[in-house]
């Protein structure tokens, strides 16, 4: 077998011929292009290219993305392949041998961290190289403090903390002066921390926050206040429903917020100031069947979303609203797009919700496959007053998850019959619907009266069940 043969190149690059005689074109690329290619690889793979040839020996030292993951090194409680110590040595070696003054991304996923000082050194090293993005996941480690240098970084724009950390904010002044995107997990947070943190981030635009409460938590009011925030994703987790958890409150003050996504199990109450810039809101409630939970939070939160143009509600939200027994729903005058999921309960809220959305144009109804929608839940279709949005504005309707149940067909009939300006109704049946059932459903749909005679009905089977 012939050894690689060097061919004439420019002084800065060297091409070679591989064993089959063809030219190694990748090695002919400029250093800057090789660096971009290596930067999209995990760092361990980028370093491994150093054995390919002299041309590649030092190419990896210019990568701008440093991504470390010990997942392949440690399997459970046993060490596989390289040891934990070897992984730490590898990170140290890479940080010592790479030389770009500007690091684009530093990512660390680590299950076994033996030294807090070592962790500080790794992160501080990235900060000293003007890193733009940091992502850290220490998995099951106890909360450890972040290096003090991270709070004052003038280049950090993206920070994703995918495990719990102990945050020790500087006593005064700005925190994270250039940070735009922040993913944070808080465990049993104190009152002052969120307010002191987010209100001191002058450039924050995108916030993703997971908050974990326990029954031992004292009552708290978490204030999310930011004049620059545009998107906010909040997940509230509560460990037990053995006692009523609504002692906690989340206050949102974000006048420029455009997108709000909240997942909650009704563990907190809400105080939402008017959000005049809100364009899209998603509200997902888990565990709405727990009896000790107060049903006020959904109304509190929805009352702060009334300026939105697009709204998505889970079956849990409708279930919680329905259990109040008063069918209260705020007025959504600006709403043009509504996506609602209906489960075993909550379907009786539909006429109220539609009635409070007078300018609605697109209505998406998702029929959950987790529970059977009984006939009692759809009896309102015979007597309810027709919402004005159906007769005046709704021109697109989607029904997802249609089955052969009579309750499903009654909902489709109600919407098709009362939508006077409807252009298109798209109906997607459950994937479990066989060919014969699909044909029968098509025949039934085509036989229904249409409020708009020219409305087009498209029936298909849902290939991918979400």
């Amino acid at each position: 077998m012939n050894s690689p043969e060097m061919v004439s190149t420019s002084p800065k690059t060297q091409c070679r011929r591989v064993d089959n005689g063809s030219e190694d074109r990748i090695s002919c690329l400029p250093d800057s292009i090789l660096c971009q290619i290596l930067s999209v690889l995990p760092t361990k793979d980028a370093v491994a290219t150093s054995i390919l040839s002299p041309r590649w020996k030092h190419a990896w030292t210019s990568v701008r993305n440093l991504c470390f993951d010990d997942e392949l090194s440690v399997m459970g409680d046993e060490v596989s392949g390289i040891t934990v110590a070897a992984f730490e040595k590898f990170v140290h070696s890479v940080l010592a041998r790479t030389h770009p003054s500007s690091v684009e991304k530093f990512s660390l996923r680590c299950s076994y961290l033996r030294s807090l000082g070592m962790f500080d050194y790794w992160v501080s090293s990235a900060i000293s190289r003007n890193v733009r993005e940091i992502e850290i996941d220490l998995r099951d480690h106890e909360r450890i403090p972040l290096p003090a240098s991270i709070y004052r970084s003038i280049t950090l724009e993206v920070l994703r903390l995918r495990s719990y950390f102990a945050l020790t904010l500087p006593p005064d002044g700005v925190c994270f002066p250039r940070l735009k995107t922040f993913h944070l997990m808080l465990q049993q947070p104190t009152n002052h921390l969120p307010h002191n943190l987010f209100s001191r981030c002058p450039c924050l635009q995108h916030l993703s926050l997971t908050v974990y409460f326990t029954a031992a938590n004292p009552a708290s009011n978490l204030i999310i206040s930011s004049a620059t925030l545009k998107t906010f994703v909040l997940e509230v987790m509560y460990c037990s429903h053995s006692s009523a958890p609504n002692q906690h409150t989340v206050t949102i003050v974000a006048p420029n917020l455009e997108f709000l996504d909240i997942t909650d199990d009704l563990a907190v109450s809400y105080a939402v100031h008017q959000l005049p810039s809100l364009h899209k809101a998603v509200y997902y409630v888990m565990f709405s069947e727990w009896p000790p939970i107060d049903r006020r939070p959904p109304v509190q939160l929805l009352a702060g979303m009334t300026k939105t143009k697009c709204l998505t509600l889970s079956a849990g939200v409708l279930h919680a609203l329905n259990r109040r027994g008063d069918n209260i729903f705020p007025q959504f005058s600006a709403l043009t797009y509504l996506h609602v999921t209906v489960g075993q309960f909550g379907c009786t809220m539909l006429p109220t919700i539609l009635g409070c959305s007078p300018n609605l144009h697109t209505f998406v109804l998702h029929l959950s496959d987790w529970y059977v929608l009984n006939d009692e839940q759809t009896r309102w279709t015979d007597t309810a007053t027709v919402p004005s949005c159906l007769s005046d504005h709704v021109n697109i309707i989607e029904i997802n998850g249609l089955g052969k149940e009579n309750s499903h067909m009654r909902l489709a009939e109600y919407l098709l019959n009362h939508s006077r300006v409807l252009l298109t109704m798209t109906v997607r049946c459950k994937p479990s619907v066989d060919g014969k059932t699909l044909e029968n459903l098509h025949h039934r749909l085509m036989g229904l009266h249409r409020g708009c005679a020219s409305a087009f009905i498209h029936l298909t089977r849902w290939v991918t069940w979400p």
Side-chain angles (χ1 to χ4, degrees):
M1 184 177 293
N2 296 328
S3 60
E5 176 186 355
M6 304 306 297
V7 297
S8 59
T9 64
S10 66
K12 292 187 177 181
T13 60
Q14 288 184 323
C15 297
R16 62 173 185 159
R17 294 191 180 278
V18 293
D19 293 340
N20 62 7
S22 60
E23 185 177 329
D24 180 4
R25 295 186 177 182
I26 294 182
S27 294
C28 293
L29 295 172
D31 288 348
S32 59
I33 302 299
L34 288 182
C35 182
Q36 290 183 34
I37 295 174
L38 293 177
S39 290
V40 302
L41 299 176
T43 300
K44 66 181 183 64
D45 294 335
V47 174
T49 62
S50 62
I51 66 173
L52 295 178
S53 73
R55 172 76 176 88
W56 288 84
K57 186 173 183 179
H58 301 292
W60 68 271
T61 62
S62 297
V63 296
R64 299 186 61 191
N65 291 343
L66 302 178
C67 303
F68 304 101
D69 189 345
D70 72 350
E71 189 173 27
L72 299 179
S73 306
V74 180
M75 304 297 290
D77 295 328
E78 299 182 0
V79 176
S80 174
I82 61 174
T83 64
V84 174
F87 173 77
E88 295 171 351
K89 183 178 179 181
F90 172 73
V91 177
H92 267 286
S93 176
V94 169
L95 291 175
R97 296 180 63 186
T98 50
H99 52 73
S101 59
S102 180
V103 174
E104 181 69 17
K105 179 179 180 180
F106 174 80
S107 173
L108 175 66
R109 299 186 65 192
C110 184
S111 300
Y112 292 79
L113 187 63
R114 300 188 304 172
S115 168
L116 180 58
M118 188 176 302
F119 171 72
D120 285 353
Y121 169 75
W122 293 346
V123 177
S124 297
S125 178
I127 295 293
S128 68
R129 300 184 189 196
N130 303 314
V131 67
R132 193 192 71 85
E133 178 179 352
I134 290 180
E135 182 172 6
I136 305 175
D137 183 359
L138 300 185
R139 299 190 175 98
D140 297 327
H141 281 285
E142 293 295 324
R143 290 187 296 176
I144 64 174
L146 291 172
S149 59
I150 199 171
Y151 298 101
R152 301 296 193 190
S153 171
I154 61 173
T155 59
L156 186 63
E157 296 182 3
V158 179
L159 178 59
R160 295 186 174 94
L161 302 177
R162 301 197 181 278
S163 50
Y164 296 107
F165 288 86
L167 302 183
T168 306
L169 307 183
D172 52 30
V174 169
C175 285
F176 303 110
R178 298 290 181 86
L179 193 66
K180 296 179 180 178
T181 301
F182 199 180
H183 178 101
L184 179 63
M185 301 175 67
L186 295 177
Q187 189 176 36
Q188 304 180 42
T190 58
N191 274 339
H192 68 279
L193 177 61
H195 181 250
N196 287 349
L197 175 57
F198 304 129
S199 63
R200 292 166 62 185
C201 298
C203 299
L204 186 61
Q205 297 182 9
H206 312 288
L207 175 61
S208 178
L209 179 62
T210 299
V211 182
Y212 180 81
F213 290 112
T214 67
N217 269 105
S220 60
N221 181 16
L222 305 185
I223 301 176
I224 313 300
S225 178
S226 173
T228 57
L229 197 61
K230 292 184 178 180
T231 67
F232 180 31
V233 178
L234 173 66
E235 181 178 8
V236 180
M237 303 175 67
Y238 194 79
C239 73
S240 172
H241 288 83
S242 58
S243 60
N246 293 122
Q247 58 184 331
H248 308 294
T249 301
V250 173
T251 299
I252 303 175
V253 184
N256 292 300
L257 194 67
E258 298 174 358
F259 174 74
L260 178 60
D261 184 337
I262 292 184
T263 299
D264 186 10
D265 55 2
L266 301 180
V268 299
S269 298
Y270 291 93
V272 182
H273 293 246
Q274 286 300 316
L275 307 175
S277 302
L278 192 63
H279 177 77
K280 182 176 181 180
V282 178
Y283 186 19
Y284 181 86
V285 166
M286 304 176 291
F287 308 126
S288 62
E289 70 276 11
W290 288 97
I293 296 179
D294 187 356
R295 304 299 160 180
R296 290 174 294 178
V299 175
Q300 293 171 342
L301 182 56
L302 289 167
M305 297 178 172
T306 55
K307 299 294 183 182
T308 190
K309 296 178 176 60
C310 304
L311 180 63
T312 298
L313 302 175
S314 75
V317 175
L318 270 67
H319 187 185
L321 292 170
N322 183 67
R323 292 190 64 172
R324 284 178 56 98
D326 50 16
N327 281 8
I328 292 179
F329 195 82
Q331 190 79 5
F332 281 79
S333 299
L335 195 65
T336 59
Y337 174 93
L338 176 63
H339 184 150
V340 172
T341 300
V342 172
Q344 184 178 11
F345 303 103
C347 181
T348 55
M349 284 298 303
L350 282 181
T352 300
I353 295 174
L354 291 172
C356 293
S357 310
N359 296 302
L360 192 67
H361 286 262
T362 300
F363 179 49
V364 180
L365 177 62
H366 175 74
L367 302 171
S368 175
D369 196 37
W370 285 20
Y371 303 101
V372 176
L373 182 63
N374 59 54
D375 291 341
E376 186 66 29
Q377 284 282 308
T378 58
R379 293 195 185 281
W380 57 267
T381 58
D382 297 329
T383 59
T385 303
V386 178
S388 62
C389 66
L390 288 181
S391 56
D392 298 337
H393 298 292
V394 172
N395 50 33
I396 297 175
I397 293 178
E398 295 182 21
I399 301 177
N400 299 324
L402 187 79
K404 58 184 179 181
E405 296 90 338
N406 288 332
S407 57
H408 287 195
M409 192 58 64
R410 291 182 71 172
L411 288 174
E413 181 180 13
Y414 175 83
L415 294 173
L416 189 60
N417 183 45
H418 296 296
S419 299
R420 305 287 179 83
V421 295
L422 185 65
L423 298 177
T424 304
M425 174 181 278
T426 301
V427 181
R428 299 180 181 90
C429 295
K430 301 176 183 178
S432 58
V433 169
D434 58 32
K436 184 176 181 180
T437 303
L438 185 66
E439 184 178 346
N440 290 337
L441 289 175
H442 181 269
H443 179 74
R444 293 177 65 183
L445 281 173
M446 293 302 110
L448 295 178
H449 177 266
R450 307 183 193 188
C452 178
S454 61
F456 175 75
I457 302 176
H458 177 62
L459 177 67
T460 185
R461 184 187 288 110
W462 226 355
V463 177
T464 303
W465 189 253

